[in-house]
Amino acid sequence: MSQLQRWGLLMATLGWNAFGQAPSSAPQSFTWEQIRDRFQASNPTLKAAAISIDESRAQEITAYLRPNPDLTGTFDQMNFFSTQPPPSGGPSVYSPFAYALPSASLSYLHERRNKRELRRESAQKETEISVAQYADQERNLLFNLRTAFVQTLQQKAILDLTRENLAYYNHLLQLSNDRLKAGDIAKVDFERLELQRVQYETDVQTALVSLRTAKIQLLLLLNDRTPVERFDVTGTFDFSDRIRPLEELRRAAMENRPDLKAAVEAVDKAQTDHRLAVANGSVDPTFSADFARNPPIPVYFGISVSIPLRIFDRNQGEKLRTEQDITRNERLRDAAVAQVFSDVDSAYATMDSNLTLLRPYKETYLKEAVEVRDTVSFAYTRGGASLLDFLQAQQDYRSTELNYLNLVGSYLTAVAQLNMAVGQEAIQ
């Protein structure tokens, strides 16, 4: 076994003893798919948005209802204040109901030109818009969820790195302490090494707080009251070079983006509303039938038709407004299309930039950082390197590893951004 391998084994042993064994009741860990399913089932914002769809479907029922008929009852010409001859002739007597006229009429408004059907179609278009808006809200919230999930994985990786760095540094301090006792190094050099340890301790505590904060944000989105100590996530914290072509992602976004679907549905609804406004400018007759008694006629029956004369009000304003609304929604649809392309291109460029930086890290920089750290540390423990060289090598390794983890986190966040721009999980 080489000297570096023995150091690695000793470092792992010291790290285990320093931080203790895992607790007997390990926290429950969730994958991204499990987190997403729990989010869709329990997030209160999504539940509230789903109710708006049900409300819109209820409006479809109201829009298709027929007008109610009107029933009117009348009892007229009652004489309570004087006497009068009866209808059959004779002397005047007090008969207040002798000439009373009871009547009843029933009327119904007949809507022409498919007004009910157009109202229902407009309400159905509104429901389709609500469904698309719900999907768009879910898309944005899923991005927040994915970002919180990535941040949790990133902080877990950073915490593991800081603990590893601290364990490695503790091992080197122990070796330096042995050299101090043997008179191989000065006391001031050893004290400088001890002072440097506070940076590694600070890194561990900062990573712990950041990890806890990320978990709290994730639990907030899940509407979960589980203690942070009993909650964990698991997943691959790495990058992949396999990405779909930009043109393919653009086409997928045009097919899947719910906000674009809502914009297209808004144009269709505006066109339906314009047809409804034109129909509302037409004449709707009211048919009536009445039954009455008119002494000496014991009973009679009559019918009537009431037709409003649309001379001044032909619904001109609403016709013009809905026509303008079509143009407005078409412009909003065009803006939504431009936004889709902008979102996809921006997210793709960010992801590609992160990949450009990550490739040399994985291929070269990480290996070189480990080699430089281990080589300089080995040389320093044997008096072949200065204290400044040793500290600089430790700092370079720490910075390189931390930069790499941050870049991976940025890449995964960019992937989440691209998935949101496309409207589906185009890249896992």
Side-chain angles (χ1 to χ4, degrees):
M1 182 180 294
S2 66
Q3 182 67 25
L4 291 179
Q5 290 175 327
R6 287 196 295 271
W7 280 8
L9 180 61
L10 179 58
M11 177 186 68
T13 304
L14 290 174
W16 180 265
N17 292 333
F19 298 103
Q21 296 182 355
S24 57
S25 58
Q28 188 175 4
S29 187
F30 299 92
T31 63
W32 162 243
E33 289 75 16
Q34 292 172 324
I35 290 290
R36 182 186 57 201
D37 293 342
R38 293 186 64 188
F39 167 80
Q40 292 172 334
S42 61
N43 184 266
T45 303
L46 278 183
K47 286 184 176 181
I51 294 175
S52 66
I53 299 177
D54 296 333
E55 292 175 348
S56 186
R57 290 198 175 102
Q59 291 295 327
E60 295 179 27
I61 300 174
T62 303
Y64 197 59
L65 293 176
R66 297 178 181 274
N68 289 321
D70 292 327
L71 176 63
T72 304
T74 304
F75 202 79
D76 201 3
Q77 296 196 106
M78 294 173 287
N79 184 8
F80 293 100
F81 308 103
S82 62
T83 60
Q84 57 188 353
S88 58
S92 298
V93 295
Y94 183 74
S95 181
F97 301 108
Y99 291 88
L101 300 179
S103 65
S105 64
L106 182 67
S107 62
Y108 180 74
L109 176 67
H110 174 66
E111 293 186 302
R112 299 171 56 247
R113 300 190 64 176
N114 300 319
K115 292 184 177 68
R116 289 176 55 236
E117 288 75 10
L118 288 172
R119 285 199 302 268
R120 180 179 62 179
E121 183 180 345
S122 177
Q124 289 172 341
K125 295 292 184 183
E126 184 65 35
T127 300
E128 292 175 2
I129 293 174
S130 297
V131 171
Q133 290 175 340
Y134 170 83
D136 189 56
Q137 188 170 9
E138 182 182 24
R139 176 180 69 97
N140 285 276
L141 288 173
L142 277 175
F143 168 71
N144 296 336
L145 182 73
R146 182 75 177 187
T147 301
F149 183 83
V150 169
Q151 288 178 347
T152 304
L153 290 179
Q154 180 178 352
Q155 296 306 323
K156 285 183 63 177
I158 292 176
L159 179 60
D160 291 340
L161 173 65
T162 57
R163 285 175 169 172
E164 176 191 342
N165 289 342
L166 180 58
Y168 187 91
Y169 200 80
N170 286 337
H171 168 64
L172 293 176
L173 275 180
Q174 182 61 44
L175 295 178
S176 298
N177 187 39
D178 295 339
R179 292 181 63 194
L180 175 65
K181 293 178 179 178
D184 194 25
I185 61 172
K187 182 179 180 181
V188 66
D189 288 342
F190 179 76
E191 290 175 346
R192 291 177 65 184
L193 288 173
E194 278 192 318
L195 289 175
Q196 190 67 24
R197 185 179 184 277
V198 70
Q199 182 63 56
Y200 294 93
E201 292 178 328
T202 302
D203 289 345
V204 172
Q205 294 303 315
T206 301
L208 283 170
V209 173
S210 299
L211 176 59
R212 188 178 183 89
T213 303
K215 287 184 178 181
I216 290 173
Q217 181 63 31
L218 201 53
L219 288 169
L220 171 64
L221 291 169
L222 295 174
N223 193 28
D224 195 337
R225 302 296 185 271
T226 301
V228 176
E229 295 78 10
R230 293 170 52 192
F231 174 79
D232 198 9
V233 298
T234 182
T236 302
F237 188 72
D238 201 355
F239 70 96
S240 173
D241 281 338
R242 296 189 299 272
I243 59 176
R244 295 165 62 180
L246 178 59
E247 288 301 324
E248 183 179 342
L249 293 172
R250 285 177 172 177
R251 288 193 298 270
M254 292 295 293
E255 295 173 359
N256 295 290
R257 277 284 288 263
D259 54 338
L260 181 57
K261 291 181 181 179
V264 173
E265 293 293 345
V267 175
D268 293 341
K269 182 180 183 300
Q271 293 171 345
T272 301
D273 290 342
H274 179 64
R275 296 199 304 270
L276 178 59
V278 173
N280 285 335
S282 63
V283 173
D284 293 334
T286 301
F287 298 98
S288 302
D290 60 284
F291 305 84
R293 168 184 176 270
N294 190 6
I297 301 174
V299 63
Y300 70 86
F301 168 77
I303 59 174
S304 64
V305 178
S306 175
I307 301 177
L309 300 179
R310 305 296 295 264
I311 298 175
F312 305 108
D313 179 9
R314 298 188 300 276
N315 208 32
Q316 303 96 316
E318 192 64 13
K319 292 176 183 176
L320 180 60
R321 186 196 69 80
T322 53
E323 187 175 6
Q324 295 294 329
D325 196 47
I326 294 174
T327 305
R328 183 182 70 87
N329 282 283
E330 287 175 343
R331 300 296 177 267
L332 292 175
R333 178 199 58 196
D334 296 340
V337 171
Q339 187 65 51
V340 167
F341 281 101
S342 175
D343 291 346
V344 173
D345 291 353
S346 298
Y348 190 90
T350 302
M351 184 185 64
D352 188 60
S353 175
N354 283 312
L355 281 175
T356 302
L357 294 173
L358 281 168
R359 291 187 187 105
Y361 265 89
K362 194 165 189 177
E363 295 170 359
T364 306
Y365 300 153
L366 292 179
K367 297 177 183 177
E368 290 181 349
V370 173
E371 289 179 3
V372 170
R373 181 193 68 167
D374 292 345
T375 301
V376 174
S377 298
F378 183 80
Y380 175 73
T381 56
R382 281 154 178 75
S386 66
L387 177 62
L388 291 178
D389 291 337
F390 169 74
L391 294 177
Q392 186 62 49
Q394 298 297 321
Q395 183 64 31
D396 290 344
Y397 171 81
R398 173 175 166 272
S399 299
T400 302
E401 290 284 348
L402 186 59
N403 289 340
Y404 173 74
L405 294 179
N406 288 332
L407 278 174
V408 173
S410 298
Y411 163 80
L412 293 176
T413 302
V415 167
Q417 183 79 39
L418 183 60
N419 289 339
M420 183 181 73
V422 174
Q424 64 178 21
E425 290 199 2
I427 300 177
Q428 298 294 331

